[in-house]
Amino acid sequence: VTFSLLELDPALAKLRPPHHHTYEQVMLSVGGTTTVEVDGKTSDLAPMRVAMIPPDVNHRIAGVSGADKEHR
């Protein structure tokens, strides 16, 4: 399992193409709403919610909105 903490620029977040890893990934939305695409299905993660991404499944961050500086 990998867990990374990233601060994403909303304008650039959606530009990263789908990709996959050989290990499970945990994605946590800290501030604002993070739109994730996992295996072609899109979901919105509210603040302090997580997405579990299985190994070898294509995924990407499709957008970030509503993040405020209080959570950074």
Side-chain angles (χ1 to χ4, degrees):
V1 174
T2 186
F3 184 87
S4 300
L5 180 60
L6 306 170
E7 182 176 356
L8 300 172
D9 180 334
L12 301 177
K14 61 187 174 187
L15 298 179
R16 183 162 181 173
H19 61 283
H20 68 274
H21 311 280
T22 58
Y23 45 81
E24 185 175 45
Q25 181 176 353
V26 177
M27 187 179 297
L28 168 68
S29 179
V30 177
T33 300
T34 302
T35 303
V36 295
E37 183 182 308
V38 179
D39 202 20
K41 297 176 185 169
T42 303
S43 299
D44 290 330
L45 291 180
M48 304 313 293
R49 295 302 222 181
V50 298
M52 300 295 289
I53 303 167
D56 298 314
V57 172
N58 280 334
H59 61 279
R60 73 183 186 102
I61 296 175
V64 179
S65 63
D68 62 33
K69 293 182 181 183
E70 180 179 319
H71 294 289
R72 293 185 184 176

